């Protein structure tokens, strides 16, 4: 996915790497950590919000290296106001049946207030995200 990196800031947290890609799509690559807590979620959202710089963005989240899902506090935080305010839509890339199962479970139990869909192919995810208007800073 690094082909989509512009020469801009890359933010590293304990559980992810995030950067602003082309057409104001924020890319988040989840690291293979052993747990994903509320503090991890807060650090990821802080990275997203810093990159968004006040303008809602489309988000591509690569979950293919994730070993565990987020705990219940983190899941709740991800659909709350702080995590949602600068998201237009989010595509999540998964590679295993287990990741797809837990991703779909998250969508059923913690429905985010923005459009979110799971994909196996990053190209399909980009096509879906491009269906949402490119954000304009206000």
């Amino acid at each position: 996915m690094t082909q989509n990196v512009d020469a801009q800031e890359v933010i590293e947290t304990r559980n992810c790497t995030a950067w602003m890609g082309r057409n104001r799509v924020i890319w988040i690559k989840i690291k293979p950590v052993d747990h994903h807590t509320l503090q991890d979620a807060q650090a990821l959202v802080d990275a997203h919000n810093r990159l968004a710089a006040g303008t809602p963005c489309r988000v591509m989240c690569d979950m293919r290296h994730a070993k565990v899902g987020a705990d219940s506090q983190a899941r709740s935080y991800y659909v709350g106001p702080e995590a949602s305010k600068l998201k237009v839509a989010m595509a999540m890339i998964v590679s295993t049946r287990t990741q797809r199962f837990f991703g779909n479970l998250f969508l059923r139990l913690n429905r985010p207030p923005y459009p979110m869909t799971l994909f196996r192919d990053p190209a399909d995810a980009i096509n879906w995200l491009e269906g949402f208007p490119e954000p304009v800073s206000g």
Side-chain angles (χ1 to χ4, degrees):
M1 281 199 220
T2 56
Q3 70 273 16
N4 290 296
V5 176
D6 291 334
Q8 295 185 19
E9 181 179 16
V10 174
I11 300 173
E12 294 282 342
T13 72
R14 188 188 78 78
N15 70 325
C16 77
T17 303
W19 65 91
M20 179 67 74
R22 293 187 200 120
N23 301 323
R24 290 199 51 82
V25 173
I26 293 177
W27 291 71
I28 298 170
K29 188 171 185 177
I30 302 298
K31 297 176 182 177
V33 296
D34 292 328
H35 57 280
H36 189 109
T37 66
L38 174 60
Q39 292 76 23
D40 295 323
Q42 289 167 331
L44 188 153
V45 168
D46 180 64
H48 168 273
N49 290 349
R50 282 177 43 204
L51 291 167
T55 301
C57 294
R58 298 165 291 183
V59 179
M60 173 76 80
C61 186
D62 183 351
M63 302 289 296
R64 294 178 289 184
H65 297 290
K67 294 187 335 185
V68 297
D71 69 23
S72 64
Q73 288 182 311
R75 289 190 310 271
S76 293
Y77 182 76
Y78 280 133
V79 298
E82 182 68 21
S84 302
K85 69 181 176 183
L86 296 177
K87 285 186 179 69
V88 171
M90 184 173 189
M92 295 181 71
I93 307 301
V94 296
S95 62
T96 67
R97 288 182 186 195
T98 301
Q99 288 173 342
R100 181 167 289 282
F101 172 80
F102 283 110
N104 283 321
L105 186 63
F106 170 79
L107 289 174
R108 274 190 230 106
L109 299 177
N110 303 94
R111 174 62 60 189
Y114 47 85
M116 183 171 155
T117 303
L118 304 175
F119 295 90
R120 288 184 76 86
D121 183 350
D124 292 339
I126 285 292
N127 287 336
W128 180 77
L129 285 173
E130 288 176 348
F132 294 90
E134 185 169 337
V136 178
S137 54

